Amino acid sequence: MDKFKKIVAIEPVGLEPWAVERLRGLAAEVVMYDDVPQGAGEIAGRVGGADAVLLSYTTTLSADVLSRCPSVRYVGMCCSLYSPESANVDIRYAEAHGITVTGIRDYGDEGVVEYAVAALVRRLHGFGVEPWLGAPSEITGLKAGIVGLGKSGGMIADAMRFFGAEVAYFARGEKPAAAAKGYRFMPLGDLVEWGDVVFCCLNKNTVLLGDAEFARMGSHKILFNTGLSPAWSEEAFARWIDGDNLCYCDTVGALGGERFAGHPHVCCARVSTGRTLQASRRLSEKVLANIEAFLG
């Protein structure tokens, strides 16, 4: 197996200690940074003459940065890679300049699903808060609408069904596997109007909820966003959240920033609920597998 000359993790990437030790066997030099760089200049300075770069989802590796670092031939995203549009690496530039970019999937979904179930149960039963329906209630019989039926959306749908909810979903197209489970496909507007609770499980930078959708969603609804960025236009959400509604997000990034973090109808955990001990292990294994496959 060939080795890299230098691997640089330009920010905290979540690799476990054993994985870092294995990483040191894959390059002549390995540099691990434990803070997030600020600005393109600092990012480019950290990359320097490295031929391999690792990063998570909190730093953007733009065409500008890559153009300043011509030695780079491999970028390992220690986070999900779904599409060029949602990636925090300029995939198009990388492809045009012979740089391989890999990402990982399906490593932190379990923790996100547990967060969604736990938060919903707490609100419905009234554990430490007022019960949402005025008296302790169950998920049984709840109408759960899922926007985006990928891995995490599908797992949340399955969890809701397990607890007795009625499940419907919106996606780019109808999914036979979902129909086989009894999940109904609905147009987006119909879904958000129908659901008692709506879970947005979308790729980063995917915005589907605007004024029309929030108008149809109406009042006394619970909205979860489990993505890395808001699933809504900011001002439309601002008007809706002032009503008799609730929104749950795990991170401020998913909420769209600090503007809404202190809102009385917003519950923001301020922690990535997909970052668990088990997820760290899965992430480490998949990042290493990608690097080793590249090196051959």
Side-chain angles (χ1 to χ4, degrees):
M1 178 185 294
D2 293 332
K3 289 187 177 184
F4 289 114
K5 294 178 181 177
K6 184 178 182 179
I7 298 175
V8 176
I10 60 174
E11 64 175 339
V13 294
L15 294 181
E16 295 191 333
W18 63 264
V20 175
E21 287 307 307
R22 273 181 56 185
L23 196 65
R24 297 190 190 283
L26 300 175
E29 181 182 1
V30 174
V31 177
M32 308 289 293
Y33 285 92
D34 59 4
D35 63 341
V36 177
Q38 303 300 313
E42 186 175 0
I43 297 169
R46 292 189 179 189
V47 175
D51 50 347
V53 179
L54 301 181
L55 77 163
S56 189
Y57 59 86
T58 51
T59 295
T60 297
L61 202 57
S62 64
D64 174 43
V65 171
L66 289 171
S67 69
R68 300 190 212 180
C69 306
S71 297
V72 174
R73 60 190 179 99
Y74 177 84
V75 176
M77 294 174 59
C78 304
C79 55
S80 299
L81 172 55
Y82 294 104
S83 67
E85 293 74 24
S86 65
N88 55 312
V89 176
D90 193 318
I91 304 294
R92 303 301 187 203
Y93 179 93
E95 289 175 343
H97 292 81
I99 302 169
T100 297
V101 181
T102 64
I104 60 174
R105 298 179 67 168
D106 305 338
Y107 65 96
D109 300 301
E110 288 80 359
V112 172
V113 176
E114 290 182 1
Y115 157 72
V117 171
L120 182 60
V121 167
R122 180 174 184 268
R123 178 60 65 171
L124 291 176
H125 280 261
F127 298 148
V129 293
E130 286 297 315
W132 182 238
L133 299 179
S137 60
E138 305 167 0
I139 293 176
T140 304
L142 199 72
K143 295 176 181 176
I146 315 295
V147 181
L149 205 68
K151 179 66 182 297
S152 65
M155 291 175 69
I156 290 174
D158 291 346
M160 291 297 105
R161 181 186 62 170
F162 175 81
F163 284 107
E166 185 178 352
V167 177
Y169 73 98
F170 169 79
R172 284 189 291 264
E174 295 189 48
K175 297 180 179 290
K181 295 178 179 180
Y183 304 160
R184 285 193 290 158
F185 175 85
M186 289 186 178
L188 180 59
D190 293 348
L191 181 76
V192 297
E193 182 177 349
W194 170 86
D196 299 312
V197 57
V198 175
F199 298 90
C200 290
C201 311
L202 300 170
N203 293 344
K204 188 178 181 182
N205 301 326
T206 303
V207 174
L208 293 184
L209 303 184
D211 284 321
E213 290 74 27
F214 280 117
R216 292 197 64 180
M217 193 180 298
S219 295
H220 206 65
K221 296 291 184 75
I222 300 177
L223 174 64
F224 280 80
N225 182 36
T226 66
L228 295 176
S229 61
W232 51 73
S233 63
E234 185 172 335
E235 295 308 318
F237 175 75
R239 289 184 283 273
W240 180 82
I241 199 61
D242 281 341
D244 180 25
N245 299 299
L246 287 175
C247 178
Y248 285 85
C249 295
D250 59 349
T251 67
V252 174
L255 190 57
E258 291 288 347
R259 174 181 177 183
F260 301 111
H263 195 287
H265 299 169
V266 169
C267 301
C268 181
R270 291 182 177 272
V271 63
S272 176
T273 55
R275 291 283 190 172
T276 62
L277 289 172
Q278 294 87 344
S280 178
R281 188 175 308 117
R282 289 188 289 263
L283 179 148
S284 295
E285 291 169 348
K286 292 186 176 189
V287 169
L288 284 171
N290 282 344
I291 295 171
E292 290 169 348
F294 175 79
L295 290 174

